[in-house]
Amino acid sequence: MSAEAAADTKTTYNAPSSVGQLGGRALVAGVVALVLCVVGAFVNPAGFWRAYLVGYVFWTGVSVGSLAIIMLHHLSGGGWGVVIRRPLEAAARTLPVMAILFLPIAFAVFTHRLYPWTVPEEADLEIIKHKAIYLNIPFFLGRTVFYFAMWFMLSYFLSKWSLAQDSADDPRERRRLKDRLQNLSGPGILLFGLTVTFAAVDWVMSLEPEWFSTIYGLLIMVGWGLTSLAFAIVTTVVISKDERLAHVYQPRHFHDHGKLLLAFVMLWAYFSFSQFLIIWSGNLPEEIPWYMRRLFGGWGYVAVALVIGHFALPFVLLLSRERKRRARSLVVVALLVLMMRVVDLFWTIAPSVLAMPHHGGGADAAHGGGGMADVVAYVLNFITPIAIGGFWLWWYARELASRPLLPLGDQGLEDALADANGHH
Amino acid sequence: MASRVDEPHDDLIHVTPNPVIEPGHTAASVTDKISALVLKRKTPLAWYIGFFISFSLANVLMFTIAYLVTTGIGIWGNNWPVGWAFDIINFVWWIGIGHAGTLISAILLLLRQEWRTSINRFAEAMTLFAVACAGLFPLLHTGRPWLAYWMLPYPNTMNIYPQFRSPLMWDVFAVSTYASVSALFWYVGLIPDFATLRDRAKNRAFKVVYGMLALGWRGSARHWHRYETAYLLLAGLATPLVLSVHTIVSFDFAVSQLPGWHATIFPPYFVAGAIYAGFAMVLLLTIPLRKFYGLEDFITLRHLRNSAKIMLATGLIVGYGYMMEAFMAWYSASEYEGFMLKNRIWTGPYWWAYALLLITNIIIPQILWSKRARHNTAILFIVSLIISVGMWLERFVIIVTSLHRDFLPSSWAMYRPTIFDWSMFIGTIGLFFTLLLLFIRFLPAISIFEMRTILPGAAPKEEG
């Protein structure tokens, strides 16, 4: 690429102004949803905290899952990753927002509102006492600080070296930066796996501290990877509406994204089904109640909706080659997947109860007064993702607009932008 | 690709450090070199020595089976409560080894990883022979292999059906499907090469045999068109098998209630372990093969390096599996899980097996992080050997240590393999290498026609 061509592309690959507008609108939607959440929190406080967790885990998943996909791309290469690298990097740079939004959860932990193991009378149970060395408030918060520190570190260097590549004119310098990115990504993936696993145990699994499942970390990892990939697809389709950028994102890129999305959907189904089959077959009293709470009393319908919407439907839709290659039909599947991710987290988090079953908590003491309060609690699960998402998207739009939308210094860029027939 | 070579300013960036095929080869030289292995070259002395040893061991297997069938499975060391031992350990070990072959031939084909081309034929053969060895164990564990058809659901006068909820039953379907699809895939891949050998053979007998195997292949455009479609379809069919077979093998253990077996992570962790062991075996076989037959041009350092990376990644997943099992055994606060963990790691009589497992399967393979180790064939060979032992130990630890201390302390006992456990295991290794050496001698170990397609400038531009 000659110097003038490079200078030319730097101007054309900036984010379209529509990105900033979308960010502003998202912020407005977020504030409105936040007000609704506050109202809901007064009607049903216990329901509110779990609903908040649904939204929180969803959006943290987009940020942290993006890290994993960037690193997978650095390790394996390919044009599919070059064209979504910048949106993924911007998504990872929203981690400060998620760190601040953890404060309400910290408050809920301190005031014993979310996790049964924080409630003194529950913590007396033998089974909880055994885990007190791990499940206690200072260690819990310390671990969360550690996870965020690791994620910040990964996000900081992945973004920094990627930006440095843009201005590096010497090919040797670019090569060196590429090696650095690769060398960080190997151990980075390992770090991602470990931090996400324990974050999954801490934030979600410990809602029912008597329950355990060894595949749980993988299940959350693949869920987060799926969320961030679907989100990157949506971003790409929105950006490619801009005329200057329309030629960048080609059917073959969407084809590859569609294939990856299909692989993630299948992996999620594989992990979920394995967990279900093994626990169902064992039918052990310490494990099966988790599924009992999620398959009876109306929750069974949500489970069926997950089987259909989170697996069967996207699976069938993504089999078609044409549908994967057409941006407009791929984005529909990506949006469906994002919605079902929220439903999956709702199904995972909302049926848990603050009181342990041994203490007669089976009658869902946490959902408060029944009737109206219950409805509010369920609706809140779908408002909190909007509230948190508003702030997240606003920050994301700023980050996205702050850099060129394509990694100008990436060696694979030329190949990625070449027409299918080899022209460049 | 070709046009880029002409652009002077691009050279610095686009040179691949290790190509999939060394420069200087043409379609004719590739065909000559690979077909000569079968048709022209004098069989190396090493082949005869290797064959003598493997065939002797295969005969040990024959004698063991004869004695087993006439006497009964009491000649093995497994007894209550360790009702499953070497027979299942070796079954899982062998079937796991096969998975790398399927991954290379099917998944890497679909992912358009062209470096797979020179090792896929060989790896598929490895799969097939490994599955054959694996199948022997459950078959003979029935004690009456001539009644093995009872495992199939068919209407019979006894009114007995297999238990459809049992993963042992699913195993019958999974493994037999796996064996048939692998065989078909391998054979279909060989057809164009059979035709090449038929056309080049000087010996009348070879001409006739290869001619029949080539099914009248003439290499017309229509033949190729149908061939490509069929091959891609078979690859699509084989892909889920990489996951499903070992997933079902893991269900054999995980759907039970036994601590040490009942763990939800078993399916992905078994699949990763299978690929790990399989790639170790691929390297164990290809490193001597490329050396003795002078195939360094076709099986380059890039193949070895990529295989090493896959081993590193899958090995880390296996390590993650161990970690989660241990963490959750403690976190579960279940008395039985906690006891299993303690017994397995330090208080039980088999603690040494777990310690060895960690050393061989987790600690030593970390050397693969080093680029220099990945480029050193001697280190790769030794690490692969160690991993093969480690993955065998993993199955030993899972099966024996979980069973020998089950819920009822009065039934606790030790398991000690007898000489016939060992002779059967070593015998299958003999059988495996016998088949493999015959394969190298009589069939093209590297796919000739696929190698021609990856020569620079040979392939038409990939569609978008």
Side-chain angles (χ1 to χ4, degrees):
Chain A
M1 205 184 297
S2 68
E4 310 97 88
D8 187 41
T9 45
K10 266 178 196 157
T11 51
T12 42
Y13 293 145
N14 285 336
S17 55
S18 59
V19 168
Q21 289 164 13
L22 285 176
R25 276 182 223 156
L27 187 62
V28 174
V31 171
V32 172
L34 186 67
V35 173
L36 288 175
C37 285
V38 172
V39 173
F42 279 106
V43 181
N44 187 335
F48 166 76
W49 288 112
R50 268 170 291 149
Y52 185 82
L53 194 63
V54 170
Y56 186 79
V57 173
F58 177 84
W59 286 104
T60 312
V62 186
S63 305
V64 181
S66 296
L67 284 176
I69 295 184
I70 298 168
M71 293 189 286
L72 279 182
H73 164 64
H74 284 311
L75 289 175
S76 66
W80 65 270
V82 175
V83 296
I84 54 171
R85 214 169 102 187
R86 282 292 150 85
L88 291 169
E89 284 167 5
R93 287 198 303 275
T94 57
L95 277 165
V97 180
M98 295 323 291
I100 293 167
L101 289 175
F102 189 79
L103 294 177
I105 295 181
F107 168 79
V109 168
F110 272 121
T111 52
H112 320 315
R113 285 162 207 267
L114 187 53
Y115 297 102
W117 52 268
T118 59
V119 181
E121 49 274 26
E122 303 298 333
D124 270 351
L125 282 171
E126 208 47 54
I127 197 166
I128 307 295
K129 269 190 191 157
H130 175 88
K131 302 177 194 196
I133 190 171
Y134 182 81
L135 291 181
N136 61 69
I137 294 172
F139 193 26
F140 174 88
L141 296 176
R143 282 194 304 270
T144 295
V145 171
F146 175 75
Y147 308 144
F148 270 101
M150 293 298 113
W151 296 335
F152 278 142
M153 189 269 291
L154 289 173
S155 163
Y156 175 77
F157 286 112
L158 289 172
S159 270
K160 184 184 165 188
W161 293 334
S162 171
L163 187 66
Q165 272 187 330
D166 283 8
S167 49
D169 289 327
D170 181 8
R172 278 191 194 78
E173 175 66 13
R174 286 187 189 175
R175 175 83 222 175
R176 216 167 53 79
L177 286 164
K178 185 184 159 79
D179 283 347
R180 265 197 211 165
L181 285 166
Q182 260 180 354
N183 291 341
L184 175 66
S185 296
I189 288 272
L190 199 63
L191 201 57
F192 164 84
L194 293 176
T195 47
V196 173
T197 297
F198 288 99
V201 173
D202 292 356
W203 297 351
V204 194
M205 203 164 95
S206 80
L207 283 169
E208 281 140 301
E210 80 285 5
W211 186 74
F212 56 92
S213 165
T214 42
I215 204 175
Y216 203 74
L218 285 176
L219 204 49
I220 294 285
M221 267 187 244
V222 77
W224 282 8
L226 179 60
T227 316
S228 49
L229 182 68
F231 184 79
I233 291 172
V234 174
T235 304
T236 326
V237 174
V238 171
I239 298 172
S240 67
K241 290 231 167 74
D242 188 90
E243 276 175 25
R244 294 173 302 129
L245 295 163
H247 71 282
V248 170
Y249 305 100
Q250 297 163 19
R252 68 194 168 104
H253 298 139
F254 290 117
H255 193 180
D256 283 346
H257 298 161
K259 282 192 225 170
L260 258 184
L261 194 67
L262 176 62
F264 272 108
V265 164
M266 287 197 287
L267 261 187
W268 175 86
Y270 170 59
F271 291 163
S272 306
F273 178 70
S274 295
Q275 175 177 286
F276 172 70
L277 184 79
I278 289 169
I279 290 181
W280 172 81
S281 295
N283 204 16
L284 292 170
E286 60 265 37
E287 292 180 341
I288 198 71
W290 193 88
Y291 275 108
M292 306 278 278
R293 283 196 283 277
R294 283 161 181 81
L295 293 175
F296 296 100
W299 287 106
Y301 297 108
V302 185
V304 171
L306 279 174
V307 173
I308 296 171
H310 203 313
F311 171 63
L313 203 56
F315 173 76
V316 172
L317 291 175
L318 288 171
L319 283 180
S320 147
R321 178 186 148 92
E322 277 317 302
R323 194 171 282 108
K324 276 181 290 207
R325 293 173 69 89
R326 255 199 327 263
R328 284 174 70 184
S329 42
L330 183 64
V331 78
V332 173
V333 185
L335 286 169
L336 168 72
V337 165
L338 286 176
M339 194 183 82
M340 294 317 291
R341 284 303 308 142
V342 176
V343 177
D344 183 35
L345 289 171
F346 167 60
W347 182 75
T348 308
I349 292 173
S352 62
V353 287
L354 195 55
M356 299 274 293
H358 319 280
H359 282 188
D364 205 355
H367 277 150
M372 187 56 198
D374 267 0
V375 174
V376 170
Y378 296 140
V379 172
L380 269 178
N381 281 283
F382 296 89
I383 296 178
T384 52
I386 299 174
I388 295 176
F391 294 97
W392 193 97
L393 284 168
W394 166 69
W395 192 274
Y396 173 71
R398 289 178 34 155
E399 290 294 344
L400 195 62
S402 71
R403 292 169 188 202
L405 287 171
L406 289 170
L408 303 174
D410 193 300
Q411 293 169 15
L413 185 63
E414 205 180 336
D415 277 343
L417 296 188
D419 286 350
N421 51 23
H423 158 83
H424 52 265
Chain B
M1 284 294 278
S3 70
R4 193 175 296 119
V5 178
D6 304 326
E7 293 170 18
H9 57 276
D10 258 341
D11 53 359
L12 191 77
I13 311 168
H14 284 289
V15 169
T16 324
N18 291 300
V20 277
I21 182 164
E22 292 295 340
H25 277 290
T26 63
S29 75
V30 166
T31 314
D32 276 344
K33 188 152 184 190
I34 303 175
S35 63
L37 296 185
V38 177
L39 298 173
K40 293 206 191 108
R41 251 181 89 141
K42 203 163 159 286
T43 313
L45 184 66
W47 188 91
Y48 285 107
I49 298 172
F51 188 77
F52 175 76
I53 298 172
S54 342
F55 193 62
S56 307
L57 292 177
N59 277 292
V60 171
L61 176 68
M62 291 277 288
F63 282 112
T64 310
I65 293 177
Y67 182 51
L68 178 86
V69 169
T70 51
T71 315
I73 58 167
I75 65 167
W76 287 344
N78 27 343
N79 207 337
W80 206 251
V82 187
W84 277 4
F86 262 42
D87 44 346
I88 304 296
I89 297 169
N90 297 333
F91 163 72
V92 180
W93 190 69
W94 277 119
I95 203 117
I97 284 171
H99 281 58
T102 322
L103 181 98
I104 291 170
S105 51
I107 294 191
L108 296 186
L109 176 79
L110 296 181
L111 293 178
R112 298 196 218 133
Q113 298 284 319
E114 59 173 28
W115 61 271
R116 70 176 263 291
T117 301
S118 56
I119 51 171
N120 72 327
R121 167 77 46 78
F122 192 73
E124 282 167 35
M126 180 192 83
T127 297
L128 214 53
F129 304 148
V131 173
C133 291
L136 283 176
F137 286 97
L139 191 69
L140 292 168
H141 195 190
T142 62
R144 295 175 181 79
W146 54 92
L147 295 179
Y149 66 94
W150 286 9
M151 290 189 277
L152 300 172
Y154 69 100
N156 57 65
T157 50
M158 301 174 286
N159 267 329
I160 293 173
Y161 276 83
Q163 166 61 281
F164 279 92
R165 277 190 183 184
S166 163
L168 297 179
M169 159 89 193
W170 311 338
D171 251 353
V172 174
F173 294 122
V175 175
S176 53
T177 310
Y178 189 45
S180 22
V181 173
S182 301
L184 202 61
F185 199 37
W186 185 63
Y187 179 68
V188 169
L190 271 164
I191 292 173
D193 283 358
F194 278 134
T196 307
L197 292 179
R198 170 197 65 197
D199 298 342
R200 293 184 152 235
K202 299 273 186 286
N203 179 321
R204 174 85 191 144
F206 274 41
K207 268 188 197 173
V208 172
V209 173
Y210 288 131
M212 288 201 292
L213 289 170
L215 300 177
W217 179 268
R218 288 185 314 284
S220 70
R222 189 181 296 176
H223 281 182
W224 280 112
H225 174 70
R226 292 197 177 143
Y227 178 83
E228 292 290 338
T229 315
Y231 200 64
L232 213 57
L233 274 176
L234 278 173
L237 272 178
T239 299
L241 291 175
V242 179
L243 289 177
S244 68
V245 176
H246 230 68
T247 296
I248 287 171
V249 169
S250 80
F251 285 156
D252 289 346
F253 306 102
V255 301
S256 74
Q257 297 180 336
L258 192 70
W261 284 11
H262 181 75
T264 49
I265 200 162
F266 261 37
Y269 142 64
F270 264 52
V271 170
I275 294 167
Y276 188 40
F279 269 90
M281 187 58 90
V282 168
L283 285 186
L284 269 186
L285 301 176
T286 45
I287 290 173
L289 177 81
R290 73 196 275 276
K291 189 161 172 57
F292 286 123
Y293 281 88
L295 294 174
E296 283 93 346
D297 284 2
F298 298 151
I299 302 173
T300 63
L301 283 178
R302 175 148 169 225
H303 296 98
L304 305 184
R305 183 183 65 197
N306 285 356
S307 306
K309 282 182 182 168
I310 293 178
M311 284 194 324
L312 182 61
T314 46
L316 287 169
I317 300 177
V318 170
Y320 175 86
Y322 299 164
M323 186 195 74
M324 288 319 287
E325 269 197 303
F327 175 74
M328 288 298 173
W330 169 79
Y331 180 90
S332 70
S334 147
E335 194 187 337
Y336 302 106
E337 291 280 342
F339 174 78
M340 180 278 297
L341 178 71
K342 241 195 299 187
N343 180 61
R344 183 180 274 184
I345 295 177
W346 73 87
T347 60
Y350 293 110
W351 65 270
W352 52 270
Y354 194 79
L356 269 180
L357 165 65
L358 288 187
I359 294 169
T360 52
N361 229 14
I362 306 297
I363 296 171
I364 293 176
Q366 298 313 314
I367 196 177
L368 297 176
W369 283 97
S370 145
K371 202 175 241 171
R372 212 184 292 164
R374 290 198 299 259
H375 282 179
N376 184 326
T377 48
I379 292 182
L380 281 181
F381 187 81
I382 294 168
V383 169
S384 303
L385 196 63
I386 291 173
I387 293 172
S388 300
V389 175
M391 284 306 296
W392 189 88
L393 278 170
E394 177 190 302
R395 279 69 175 245
F396 181 86
V397 165
I398 291 174
I399 291 164
V400 175
T401 67
S402 307
L403 283 171
H404 86 294
R405 294 283 181 269
D406 67 357
F407 296 100
L408 199 63
S410 63
S411 68
W412 290 357
M414 287 294 287
Y415 165 74
R416 279 180 201 87
T418 64
I419 177 116
F420 299 105
D421 281 306
W422 286 111
S423 67
M424 178 115 186
F425 175 45
I426 293 167
T428 51
I429 296 178
L431 174 67
F432 178 75
F433 280 99
T434 304
L435 292 170
L436 210 64
L437 286 165
L438 287 173
F439 157 74
I440 294 171
R441 177 62 191 80
F442 292 106
L443 297 173
I446 296 178
S447 172
I448 302 172
F449 79 94
E450 282 185 301
M451 287 302 280
R452 288 191 297 238
T453 64
I454 60 167
L455 286 167
K461 188 77 190 175
E462 183 76 50
E463 55 74 49

